[in-house]
């Protein structure tokens, strides 16, 4: 009975949360600047009776909202940061709302709002049924730069969780059963000596030469790393003008691998390369760790729990207008991406022409596979059992971090997928609160087996602070 009442409440109140998601979509804020979204969500949660603590981990936009008492303690993770350069109208042609402005090309306007929707619905059940347990919503900033949750984790706010649940907007309905890559984000800064490049180049010591030698060394390193490694970079400062020997230059690296130890080893080797480049050019080098995300520790017990709510959540329904917009967006994709999408549809057992899948697929890889992307959800997953699912919020084939995704996530397609995700999160949490601890015991046993009792150690050094404006 409680689950039906939960779904009924969510259906009756969905307009409120659709409005919230669109407010955030219309006011996109990039990592560590999400003051509007953070304050909006805190206000809504406090009005619903939650207590909230902001500024978690010395990040002004990070917060934790809580309701209830005692155990179990279940957390729902939310995000709300946008991406630079992805401003876009709800349109099937490239039409930025603001030229070069930010946009929600990863759907975090939906991601966080569904979490808020779910915990407020759950609060109603705790009150009505006098249930024991604590529900938390974590307002997590800066996922796009892979560090918001790591600063929160370093502050210890996830340590007492019995389990955590989250979701992500996608183009199908399936649990996130593929581990993501661990990652370290590091920027190297070289200091040399300026000189006139034409009149007295011998007097200069080029910081840019050091950057380029670092990149050459990294590219030779690629032959000698474990399969699945990723080394990518961008030069963030290459000097001021061609006729000046640059006295300052910098390069920013993402290092990825299958697990935290793998990436830590990559970092050690990359630091040695940068030090060698500094030695060759008679420059000095320093470096700054910007992010250190763990690989995702998949918990199939919780993922199956999320998947198993699909029937009680009710059908995910799209209109003819939704299908027409999906077709128009899909038509803008490059042929190679369309072919890739068809292959993925086949892998998932979906029809090639099913642009907005409403069915659920519990896809599980048959062998050891690591996804190429990374997420700071990985950090939480090594502290507490963590479940994650995706729902259809964009046409199949549309990739996140694109203008097409921004358009979809501001449309009725995205809002419907968001509302469905809120149901899955709420129903799963309700089951964890009311089944007598059986599922939590299974999830904890799986977690202990995979972590082997190893404690979580933050990969961001203690002296590194979040890049926020004070």
């Amino acid at each position: 009975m409680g689950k039906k009442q939960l779904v009924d409440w969510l259906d009756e109140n969905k307009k409120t949360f659709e409005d919230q998601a669109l407010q955030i979509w219309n006011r996109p804020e990039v990592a560590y600047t999400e003051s509007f979204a953070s304050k909006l969500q805190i206000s809504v949660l406090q009005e619903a009776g939650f207590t909230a603590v902001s500024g978690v981990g010395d990040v002004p936009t990070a917060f934790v909202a809580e309701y209830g008492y005692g155990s179990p303690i279940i957390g729902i993770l939310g995000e709300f940061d946008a991406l630079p350069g992805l401003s876009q109208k709800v349109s099937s042609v490239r039409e930025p709302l603001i030229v070069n402005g930010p946009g929600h090309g990863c759907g975090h306007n939906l991601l966080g709002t569904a979490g808020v929707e779910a915990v407020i619905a759950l609060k109603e059940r705790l009150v009505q049924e006098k249930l024991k347990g604590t529900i938390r919503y974590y307002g997590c900033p800066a996922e796009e730069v892979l560090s918001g949750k790591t600063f929160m984790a370093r502050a210890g706010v996830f340590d007492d969780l019995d389990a955590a649940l989250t979701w992500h907007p996608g183009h199908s309905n399936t649990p996130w059963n593929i581990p993501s890559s661990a990652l370290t984000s590091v920027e190297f800064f070289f200091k040399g000596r300026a000189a006139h490049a034409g009149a007295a180049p011998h007097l200069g010591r080029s910081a840019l030469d050091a950057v380029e030698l670092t990149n050459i060394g990294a590219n030779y390193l690629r032959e000698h790393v474990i399969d699945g490694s990723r080394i990518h970079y961008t030069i963030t400062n290459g000097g001021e003008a061609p006729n000046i020997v640059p006295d300052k230059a910098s390069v920013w690296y993402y290092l990825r691998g299958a697990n935290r130890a793998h990436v830590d080893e990559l970092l050690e080797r990359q630091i040695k390369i940068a030090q060698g480049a500094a030695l060759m050019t008679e420059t000095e080098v320093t470096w700054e760790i910007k992010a250190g995300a763990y690989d995702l520790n998949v918990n199939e017990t919780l993922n199956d729990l999320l998947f198993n709510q699909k029937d009680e959540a009710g059908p995910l329904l799209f209109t003819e207008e939704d299908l027409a917009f999906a077709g128009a967006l899909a038509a803008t994709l490059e042929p190679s991406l369309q072919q890739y999408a068809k292959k993925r549809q086949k892998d998932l057992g979906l029809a090639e022409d099913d642009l907005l899948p409403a069915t659920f697929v519990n896809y599980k890889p048959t062998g050891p596979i690591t996804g190429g992307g990374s997420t700071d959800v990985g950090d939480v997953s090594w502290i507490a059992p963590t479940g994650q699912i995706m729902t259809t919020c964009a046409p199949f084939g549309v990739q996140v971090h694109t203008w097409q995704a921004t358009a979809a996530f501001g449309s009725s397609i995205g809002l419907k997928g968001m509302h469905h995700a809120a149901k899955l999160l709420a129903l799963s949490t309700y089951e964890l609160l009311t089944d007598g601890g059986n599922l939590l015991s299974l999830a904890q046993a799986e977690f202990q087996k995979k972590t082997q009792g190893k404690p979580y150690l933050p990969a961001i050094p203690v002296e590194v602070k979040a890049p926020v404006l004070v």
Side-chain angles (χ1 to χ4, degrees), residues 217-219 221-223 225 228-233 253-256 266 270:
N219 289 328
L221 176 63
R222 294 178 198 277
E223 184 183 355
V225 295
S229 301
R230 297 286 188 272
I231 304 171
H232 28 268
Y233 58 83
Y253 275 79
Y254 273 10
L255 308 173
R256 302 186 201 249
L266 271 181
Q270 188 60 47

Side-chain angles (χ1 to χ4, degrees), residues 341-405:
K342 290 178 180 179
K343 180 181 182 303
R344 286 293 298 142
Q345 284 174 315
K346 184 177 180 181
D347 291 342
L348 293 172
L350 300 171
E352 283 189 7
D353 59 350
D354 192 0
L355 285 177
L356 294 176
T359 56
F360 277 71
V361 178
N362 197 356
Y363 175 78
K364 295 183 179 182
T366 56
I369 298 174
T370 299
S374 305
T375 174
D376 57 12
V377 173
D379 287 68
V380 183
S381 74
W382 287 90
I383 299 171
T386 302
Q388 185 168 210
I389 198 165
M390 292 185 293
T391 64
T392 299
C393 295
F396 205 98
V398 167
Q399 304 296 305
V400 294
H401 296 207
T402 64
W403 68 263
Q404 293 96 334

Side-chain angles (χ1 to χ4, degrees), residues 78 104 113 169 171 243 269 276 286 299 322 407 441:
H104 277 285
T113 305
H171 49 50
N243 65 338
R269 300 182 74 180
T286 58
N299 193 285
D322 294 330
S441 295

